[in-house]
Amino acid sequence: MNPLLSQFGITAETGEHPVHSPIDGAQIGSVAYDSAAAIESKIAATTDAFRIWREVPAPRRGELVRLLGEELRTHKQALGRLVTIENGKILQEGLGEVQEMIDICDFAVGLSRQLYGLTIASERPGHRMMEQWHPAGPVAVISAFNFPVAVWAWNAALALVCGNPVIWKPSEKTPLAALATQSLFERAAKIFHGAPAGLSQILLGARDTGEALARDPRIPVVSATGSTAMGRALAPVVAARFGRAILELGGNNAMIVCPSAKLDLALRAILFAAVGTAGQRCTTLRRLFVHDSVHDRLVEALKSAYANLSIGDPLADGTLVGPLIDAHAFGQMQSALAAAREEGGQIAGGGRALTEQFPRAHYVKPAIVEMPGQTAIVRRETFAPILYVMRTHDFDDALARHNEVAQGLSSCIFTQDMQEAERFLAASGSDCGIANVNIGPSGAEIGGAFGGEKETGGGRESGSDSWKAYMRRQTATINYSDALPLAQGITFA
């Protein structure tokens, strides 16, 4: 590990909290958590940085993000490899995560010249109304292990061009990738000349560290990615001080396969979405609704494809499924499968794999579970490669069951019927934040806003106009006349 980490100027052994690789369960480093005094000092520094950074013109702020993107390009291979070692996703996905960071930097650089307001017609003569956007203030980012660096970039690139400092609490399971990313930011800031101290900082710690960020009134925006349970605990804390929470929480994502679907296309989409990252994506496919007329054919093809999946070391060429993050994740998967069996499910796969080669790691065979209906366990998200398959009789039946769950992140339909596709995307169709036709629920591009509804939290990150969440809106009226007319024709004299 040290040769890899040395490329970022960091070392593996710095504290008392061990870091393990899910690849083989071995300890790869240790980190020190920030004390309460250190947390206070860093939040104070972030507040000081805001006073300086908000005065820097947005296109100039964009130049810093451009330089960060260049550092990421230069170190894409090394950072992608570190993500894989610490997180367990296959190397192609580790590299893809870094590419997402590069892409959002490119997006944010262009955005830095497009933070547009509005000119609004005034009802009063000699007056002009306008709407403008100002930096909101320091932004806290609380990220999860499954995308240990990309989620920070989605938030940080936008927050920085919008004029805000960023303070980041990464997952306790993936601190080394976060430290490496911070090192690349510091290199970019050094080349930039003029970035204030405290513009980007990391807080290492457990739940109490995230709680400190959620409570602090000096941080007006808290972006948090994690479970619905985490969001349910954090959101009221932020709301109690009238802060703004950007929540990216659970996703119990589904696909509907219609009679006219191209089954070879659907099969490929199912595989990537259901087993990629070992089922540990926010957008992992977890529920599959298949029409009676194509059900048996598709399920048979799926079982054959699952039987031939390459499970193993995620750094090795050809591997498609790496390990679960830890023993807890494995236990959760086994509990879910036991519940599915009790509720009438027929299970193929799901057992532990490669125990002789990796006795301290938790590799599994992705599971296909044919369910008699959408039971309690199907409605509950399990962060593991479990695909629940259910028969449907018609489009209306499939859509109703698709929308029955509490989560609302990503969704998709496979059909060649234009009416079905359009109905799926209509106001009465999918109730998710992401709805796709003839592509799976995973692999979102940064150009679109990423996020979901219901218990997914309602937050939006990345593209489109997500930048507005990092700014405050101001309506301004200018009177350039010699009179003082009142709105609504009010006379006050």
Side-chain angles (χ1 to χ4, degrees):
M1 279 295 289
N2 283 325
L4 179 60
L5 295 178
S6 67
Q7 296 183 50
F8 305 99
I10 61 176
T11 57
E13 304 289 342
T14 60
E16 68 279 11
H17 297 278
V19 182
H20 295 90
S21 172
I23 294 175
D24 57 6
Q27 182 172 330
I28 56 173
S30 62
V31 296
Y33 285 179
D34 284 279
S35 65
I39 293 171
E40 166 58 32
S41 175
K42 289 183 178 182
I43 292 175
T46 247
T47 304
D48 292 341
F50 174 57
R51 296 190 185 96
I52 299 170
W53 192 241
R54 66 185 175 184
E55 300 293 342
V56 176
R60 176 65 179 154
R61 300 192 296 247
E63 173 62 10
L64 173 56
V65 175
R66 187 191 70 79
L67 292 169
L68 173 60
E70 290 303 307
E71 290 295 326
L72 290 166
R73 281 183 172 88
T74 300
H75 297 88
K76 177 180 174 178
Q77 294 295 322
L79 185 55
R81 189 174 185 85
L82 178 55
V83 166
T84 290
I85 291 170
E86 196 173 31
N87 158 284
K89 63 177 62 176
I90 64 172
L91 184 56
Q92 276 295 305
E93 292 186 271
L95 295 172
E97 178 160 354
V98 182
Q99 187 60 49
E100 280 192 63
M101 302 171 78
I102 295 167
D103 291 345
I104 194 62
C105 285
D106 288 349
F107 179 90
V109 171
L111 177 66
S112 69
R113 295 180 181 271
Q114 300 177 74
L115 301 173
Y116 299 137
L118 294 171
T119 298
I120 305 166
S122 173
E123 66 185 65
R124 290 172 284 186
H127 286 60
R128 177 169 65 87
M129 287 179 65
M130 63 180 182
E131 181 179 275
Q132 56 188 351
W133 297 86
H134 294 305
V139 174
V141 178
I142 300 173
S143 60
F145 78 87
N146 60 329
F147 280 86
V149 289
V151 168
W152 172 83
W154 292 354
N155 286 275
L158 299 190
L160 288 166
V161 299
C162 288
N164 309 304
V166 178
I167 188 164
W168 179 17
K169 186 221 166 287
S171 168
E172 305 96 292
K173 299 174 183 178
T174 52
L176 299 180
L179 292 170
T181 299
Q182 175 65 14
S183 175
L184 295 183
F185 175 87
E186 290 170 359
R187 293 180 188 183
K190 187 174 181 180
I191 298 169
F192 176 77
H193 297 300
L199 186 59
S200 174
Q201 297 182 94
I202 283 185
L203 287 177
L204 296 183
R207 176 173 175 153
D208 59 330
T209 303
E211 290 172 345
L213 291 172
R215 286 193 306 267
D216 201 296
R218 292 169 292 182
I219 302 174
V221 181
V222 178
S223 175
T225 299
S227 68
T228 297
M230 181 276 289
R232 189 171 279 118
L234 179 139
V237 177
V238 178
R241 58 176 178 84
F242 299 100
R244 182 185 305 167
I246 303 171
L247 299 177
E248 299 289 354
L249 309 175
N252 198 353
N253 314 293
M255 176 190 293
I256 297 173
V257 180
C258 299
S260 65
K262 292 184 177 180
L263 295 188
D264 58 335
L265 204 64
L267 178 62
R268 288 161 53 200
I270 292 165
L271 283 176
F272 176 71
V275 309
T277 322
Q280 298 171 118
R281 297 192 195 109
C282 308
T283 55
T284 290
L285 178 62
R286 308 200 185 280
R287 298 177 296 136
L288 179 62
F289 299 102
V290 188
H291 191 271
D292 275 328
S293 63
V294 294
H295 176 277
D296 292 350
R297 204 168 6 138
L298 181 58
V299 171
E300 182 181 352
L302 265 177
K303 288 181 178 178
S304 176
Y306 269 51
N308 291 291
L309 283 171
S310 175
I311 303 168
D313 182 347
L315 292 169
D317 291 340
T319 298
L320 294 180
V321 183
L324 293 173
I325 188 68
D326 56 22
H328 177 73
F330 176 74
Q332 292 289 98
M333 180 178 181
Q334 298 310 302
S335 294
L337 290 174
R341 188 177 291 107
E342 290 179 3
E343 294 170 8
Q346 297 179 18
I347 301 171
R352 195 165 175 183
L354 306 178
T355 52
E356 291 187 8
Q357 184 179 355
F358 300 110
R360 292 187 294 169
H362 294 84
Y363 292 82
V364 294
K365 298 175 182 178
I368 295 173
V369 186
E370 296 175 73
M371 296 297 294
Q374 191 156 242
T375 64
I377 191 59
V378 179
R379 288 187 174 94
R380 190 181 80 207
E381 181 188 34
T382 301
F383 226 53
I386 301 174
L387 179 63
Y388 299 108
V389 184
M390 290 154 282
R391 290 178 180 270
T392 61
H393 308 301
D394 56 43
F395 177 84
D396 290 330
D397 169 53
L399 181 61
R401 288 200 274 166
H402 173 283
N403 289 346
E404 272 181 357
V405 298
Q407 309 87 354
L409 178 52
S410 192
S411 61
C412 60
I413 186 170
F414 274 74
T415 181
Q416 294 301 301
D417 185 317
M418 183 180 70
Q419 186 178 61
E420 289 175 338
E422 290 294 337
R423 286 185 64 194
F424 186 73
L425 299 178
S428 56
S430 168
D431 62 1
C432 295
I434 299 169
N436 297 330
V437 176
N438 294 329
I439 63 171
S442 299
E445 299 179 32
I446 60 90
F450 182 90
E453 303 302 325
K454 303 189 292 187
E455 289 190 4
T456 301
R460 291 299 186 273
E461 297 168 337
S462 196
S464 186
D465 65 349
S466 300
W467 61 270
K468 292 179 179 178
Y470 307 90
M471 304 197 86
R472 58 182 178 86
R473 186 194 308 250
Q474 184 178 80
T475 302
T477 305
I478 300 169
N479 179 5
Y480 58 88
S481 73
D482 294 324
L484 193 65
L486 300 178
Q488 294 83 49
I490 294 173
T491 299
F492 190 78

